[in-house]
Amino acid sequence: MARKKLIAGNWKMNGLTADGTALAKGIAAEVKALGKPQCEFLVCPPFTLLAAVKKALRGARVALGAQDCHFDAKGAHTGDVSPLMLTDLGCAYVILGHSERRADHGESNELVCKKAEAAHQAGLKTVICIGETLEQRDAGQTIDVCSKQILGSVPETATAADTVIAYEPVWAIGTGKTPTAQDVEDVHAAVRKVLAKKLGRANANKMRILYGGSVKPSNAKEFLSLPDVDGALIGGASLKVEDFMAIAKNSGC
Ligand code: PGA
């Protein structure tokens, strides 16, 4: 089953207008130079830069995404941003349930699922994040934790067309530490099995499962050549044009 690889940058809370625009322009130029890339590209800047980045990406095959959204379309939710506001700005994707949101904002599987349903309804594709903590890993609970997160966070109605999963071990995010390739493949294969049970085999076989957590140019090939790894969600290394593009190129894009 051929799944087009997704190379996604999660800029997190980084970037002001000048450097965010420059980064987006740099990526746009490099992706244009690839001609017809073998992969799909996505950048997810902070809310404040979405409009400027959209403009900077004009004409390039790079999708725009946000890093979170509310489940309501509008209303009394001070500080929140709705899925419709994101599509209005030209977003095609939204990241949901990132471990930093689960930890910093107490987001539960139920809430992530509710947000995902609303995002899909608004026409957004979702990148739903899962992953175990170091404590859970040391206790041998990795597959169990990830399975529960999939069952709780992914809507029943999700399809391969509107949903991407990102497996990001919490302890590997921003630390320079990574699991072994075998560990990553084992988790991805297990996640695909759970997806098959929940959404049916056809959807599970087509759904992309990204690896995230300290992905860099030097380890991209190792992870992205694994059979069940369909791309990467990249934090730190997505903030430099050369690193982001080197990851893509080393992954066969
Ligand atoms: P990192 O972050 O690449 O800096 O480890 C990945 C992520 O949190 O999405």
Side-chain angles (χ1 to χ4, degrees):
M1 174 66 56
R3 293 178 293 262
K4 195 167 195 179
K5 286 198 169 64
L6 177 63
I7 306 296
N10 174 12
W11 295 7
K12 308 192 180 186
M13 198 172 72
N14 292 293
L16 301 178
T17 309
D19 51 325
T21 306
L23 176 57
K25 279 191 179 154
I27 291 168
E30 292 270 339
V31 172
K32 277 185 197 166
L34 289 177
K36 249 193 163 184
Q38 300 297 306
C39 304
E40 191 183 337
F41 287 88
L42 167 66
V43 292
C44 301
F47 291 129
T48 49
L49 287 179
L50 286 171
V53 168
K54 176 74 189 165
K55 212 169 141 195
L57 293 175
R58 194 175 290 154
R61 291 173 197 253
V62 182
L64 182 68
Q67 300 169 17
D68 179 45
C69 68
H70 197 272
F71 52 79
D72 270 345
K74 60 175 183 167
H77 302 291
T78 303
D80 278 314
V81 173
S82 87
L84 273 180
M85 291 168 174
L86 298 180
T87 52
D88 186 47
L89 278 180
C91 288
Y93 280 90
V94 62
I95 298 171
L96 293 174
H98 189 282
S99 63
E100 285 151 16
R101 292 216 57 90
R102 291 180 189 261
D104 296 354
H105 299 274
E107 292 199 4
S108 63
N109 289 329
E110 293 70 27
L111 179 63
V112 174
C113 187
K114 215 169 155 184
K115 290 181 174 197
E117 281 168 348
H120 293 158
Q121 229 161 33
L124 288 167
K125 296 176 187 177
T126 52
V127 178
I128 299 177
C129 302
I130 59 164
E132 83 287 358
T133 62
L134 190 56
E135 207 181 16
Q136 290 165 331
R137 181 174 198 88
D138 288 345
Q141 296 167 343
T142 298
I143 302 242
D144 191 41
V145 167
C146 292
S147 302
K148 285 199 179 111
Q149 286 175 327
I150 290 285
L151 290 173
S153 308
V154 177
E156 301 283 340
T157 49
T159 68
D162 63 24
T163 304
V164 174
I165 305 298
Y167 168 55
E168 300 200 306
V170 177
W171 52 275
I173 295 176
T175 58
K177 292 184 190 140
T178 54
T180 64
Q182 189 59 54
D183 284 345
V184 171
E185 176 55 23
D186 289 349
V187 176
H188 280 229
V191 164
R192 204 175 296 286
K193 263 198 197 146
V194 178
L195 288 170
K197 250 193 222 155
K198 187 177 170 104
L199 308 173
R201 188 158 299 280
N203 265 321
N205 284 342
K206 281 189 257 168
M207 192 168 283
R208 290 175 294 185
I209 307 174
L210 314 183
Y211 170 72
S214 296
V215 175
K216 32 185 198 220
S218 57
N219 62 21
K221 191 172 177 193
E222 186 186 12
F223 292 124
L224 277 89
S225 56
L226 295 166
D228 281 295
V229 176
D230 309 308
L233 183 56
I234 307 150
S238 75
L239 297 173
K240 280 196 189 138
V241 179
E242 315 82 81
D243 287 354
F244 186 64
M245 293 311 297
I247 288 169
K249 286 175 191 163
N250 294 351
S251 312
C253 305

